Amino acid sequence: MIKYNKWTTRLLSGSLLASIFLAVPEAAAAVEPIEVSSEAAFVIDNETNKILLNQNGDASLYIASMTKMIPLYLVHEAIEAGTIAWDTPVPISDYALAISQNYELSNVPLRKDFTYTVKDLYEAMVVYSANGATIAVAELIAGSEPAFVDMMKEKLDAWGVTGHALYNTTGLPNHYAAELGNLYPNAPVDEENKMTARGIATVADHLLDDYPEVLEVAKIEDKVFMEGSGDEIHMMTYNLMLPNQPYARAGVDGLKTGTTDASGASFTGTALQDDMRVITVVIGAEDNDGRFGETARLMDFAFGNFEKVQIASSGDAVATEEDLTIAKGKEETVGLIYNEDIFVVTPKTEEERVVATELTLNSELLNADGLIEAPIEKGTTVGNVALSIEGDDLGYLDGSQNEATVAVERTVEKANFLVLAWRWVANTAANGWNSVTDFVGGFFS
């Protein structure tokens, strides 16, 4: 049973803060991390965004085709917004055509005299990392690749991703665009897209959270592009950790590889096991053994050492020494309940550890004295709880915290004039005489 041992409250910057301490299995800091043979490695739990391993995760490195996860997100976003649809025809520009016909690169061959839909090219992007297809879809959405790159940058900025340098939608070295007269403005010809492993994990996390249907395509191992068209090509996945591939690992169903001379063999993987989904990032491995073999080690590390633990259920009381004070209510205090189930990802150990939980009340609900006023109905959300594991130096992705909302457990109606007057008299007697103006004005505010 989880025991809440201490509760303190104080008013700070208009928000009521509290700390709850409870016993749970030992935190991530107690697990000895493994060392990965790559330039960087990063592992998170997808649901809570708990960081499980960070090896050079904040270094800006070449990411190659892992770049394409950002266009994939923006395709889904555009479809959700109604800007495009899965069956929208995609025109093929001279630039997209030229890139698609370069068989040194990952591509499906495109033609100008053929009709491709967004779905056709999206599948080519996911399954076969098709560069020309990525450019064509980007041009459809934004009008040009540079304009789409600006959209990509804006999205990363909105997500709080730092340390990125993006020049194209594909992750190709810039000289390919330069040779075709399509270099991003003022971009260095000898450069490529860069991000941090933390940033890549952030992109993958948003993609899986907001558009998990991407995995239905990401787990496709082979597919014929434009079958029956006379110009079809057999697309074989580059994710060699899927079920029938050489590095197959149970639970793997995504997500995106990346390979250039500068980036080495890189891979963003994801796997589901025991109701827990992890996202792994490997940047700059030497070869497939490096990126897929080390990804398998990272997944084994994550699933072997950590588990998802439920510490509270929706409707459970938030155990405190004192209930929440309600101003001008028939009842002066009210208890709080959790609006949702709360999970933490912790090491598999019997040792006890402390999770500190900080409650922040919604500032929009507070009066000038920092209190919530009656009337307030049962189930009204009044704030959120953020969890942090004591002794854990890794924290959560992008500095965020595992959070859950809390609500009042019952309705508190507003007290009438006589009740408020009596309370004022009692408080005055206890604390000394205050302004009569404050007394009278307080009842009608």
Side-chain angles (χ1 to χ4, degrees):
M1 176 180 292
I2 302 299
K3 293 184 178 180
Y4 298 83
N5 301 317
K6 183 178 180 182
W7 170 268
T8 59
T9 61
R10 60 193 176 97
L11 194 64
L12 180 64
S13 300
S15 296
L16 184 66
L17 304 178
S19 295
I20 305 170
F21 298 88
L22 53 150
V24 299
E26 188 159 348
V31 174
E32 187 69 25
I34 61 173
E35 186 174 345
V36 178
S37 297
S38 64
E39 291 188 67
F42 207 81
V43 184
I44 66 166
D45 167 64
N46 178 225
E47 181 178 354
T48 64
N49 285 350
K50 181 73 193 72
I51 300 172
L52 307 182
L53 182 140
N54 179 0
Q55 177 181 309
N56 200 30
D58 295 301
S60 187
L61 302 169
Y62 297 113
I63 58 171
S65 284
M66 292 192 298
T67 297
K68 294 185 177 79
M69 288 189 292
I70 314 171
L72 292 177
Y73 187 96
L74 293 177
V75 168
H76 280 282
E77 193 172 61
I79 289 172
E80 187 175 46
T83 306
I84 60 173
W86 288 116
D87 60 356
T88 299
V90 183
I92 305 302
S93 67
D94 291 340
Y95 174 44
L97 178 69
I99 290 291
S100 79
Q101 296 296 327
N102 187 335
Y103 292 97
E104 294 179 353
L105 308 175
S106 179
N107 270 312
V108 291
L110 302 177
R111 294 164 27 186
K112 285 196 170 187
D113 61 346
F114 200 87
T115 300
Y116 306 96
T117 66
V118 170
K119 182 179 180 182
D120 294 330
L121 300 188
Y122 173 90
E123 290 178 345
M125 292 166 63
V126 178
V127 177
Y128 209 48
S129 196
N131 292 289
T134 303
I135 293 168
V137 173
E139 291 174 335
L140 171 72
I141 294 173
S144 70
E145 185 181 42
F148 193 87
V149 171
D150 289 339
M151 292 175 60
M152 294 165 61
K153 291 180 178 180
E154 289 174 5
K155 184 58 66 177
L156 293 181
D157 291 342
W159 288 337
V161 175
T162 59
H164 59 81
L166 300 181
Y167 308 109
N168 57 55
T169 61
T170 60
L172 289 173
N174 284 347
H175 69 80
Y176 287 102
E179 291 163 3
L180 296 169
N182 283 273
L183 185 65
Y184 186 84
N186 302 314
V189 176
D190 59 349
E191 269 294 346
E192 301 179 18
N193 292 348
K194 284 184 174 181
M195 282 181 64
T196 66
R198 181 190 296 268
I200 288 292
T202 301
V203 172
D205 179 67
H206 280 282
L207 182 59
L208 295 181
D209 282 352
D210 297 342
Y211 306 109
E213 59 268 30
V214 69
L215 293 176
E216 294 303 311
V217 182
K219 65 185 180 184
I220 294 174
E221 298 187 51
D222 63 90
K223 184 179 180 66
V224 176
F225 177 72
M226 304 304 293
E227 188 170 10
S229 68
D231 198 25
E232 59 264 19
I233 185 172
H234 194 189
M235 301 186 297
M236 299 290 293
T237 184
Y238 291 106
N239 181 357
L240 302 186
M241 296 187 73
L242 292 175
N244 300 302
Q245 301 302 312
Y247 296 89
R249 187 198 185 280
V252 174
D253 50 7
L255 188 57
K256 191 70 196 73
T257 57
T259 310
T260 65
D261 289 342
S263 75
S266 302
F267 181 51
T268 301
T270 183
L272 181 65
Q273 181 176 312
D274 298 328
D275 195 34
M276 176 176 162
R277 177 174 291 281
V278 300
I279 296 171
T280 62
V281 180
V282 170
I283 301 179
E286 290 188 4
D287 50 24
N288 281 341
D289 281 343
R291 68 171 150 195
F292 297 126
E294 294 294 67
T295 294
R297 287 184 64 225
L298 289 173
M299 291 178 176
D300 290 346
F301 167 80
F303 292 122
N305 289 284
F306 297 91
E307 62 183 341
K308 185 168 65 174
V309 177
Q310 184 172 351
I311 62 172
S313 298
S314 178
D316 282 355
V318 179
T320 64
E321 290 183 359
E322 296 180 1
D323 286 343
L324 182 67
T325 299
I326 300 294
K328 302 180 182 179
K330 284 187 176 181
E331 302 171 40
E332 295 186 78
T333 62
V334 66
L336 298 177
I337 58 173
Y338 292 107
N339 273 339
E340 55 197 290
D341 297 340
I342 302 179
F343 296 88
V344 293
V345 173
T346 67
K348 296 178 179 179
T349 175
E350 295 302 320
E351 297 180 31
E352 289 191 344
R353 196 71 178 174
V354 172
V355 171
T357 306
E358 183 176 71
L359 169 68
T360 302
L361 294 180
N362 183 350
S363 61
E364 295 180 359
L365 298 178
L366 304 181
N367 64 15
D369 295 322
L371 300 175
I372 292 176
E373 291 189 1
I376 187 167
E377 294 185 3
K378 176 182 178 179
T380 299
T381 298
V382 294
N384 66 291
V385 164
L387 293 93
S388 58
I389 303 174
E390 185 178 275
D392 173 29
D393 296 328
L394 293 177
Y396 291 81
L397 188 64
D398 297 328
S400 62
Q401 291 178 299
N402 189 11
E403 295 184 337
T405 57
V406 294
V408 291
E409 66 178 357
R410 64 181 182 277
T411 296
V412 179
E413 297 179 356
K414 187 171 183 177
N416 61 34
F417 177 87
L418 293 177
V419 170
L420 294 176
W422 173 251
R423 287 181 188 166
W424 183 87
V425 171
N427 288 335
T428 298
N431 301 319
W433 186 262
N434 293 317
S435 168
V436 173
T437 302
D438 289 344
F439 160 58
V440 175
F443 297 139
F444 300 99
S445 60

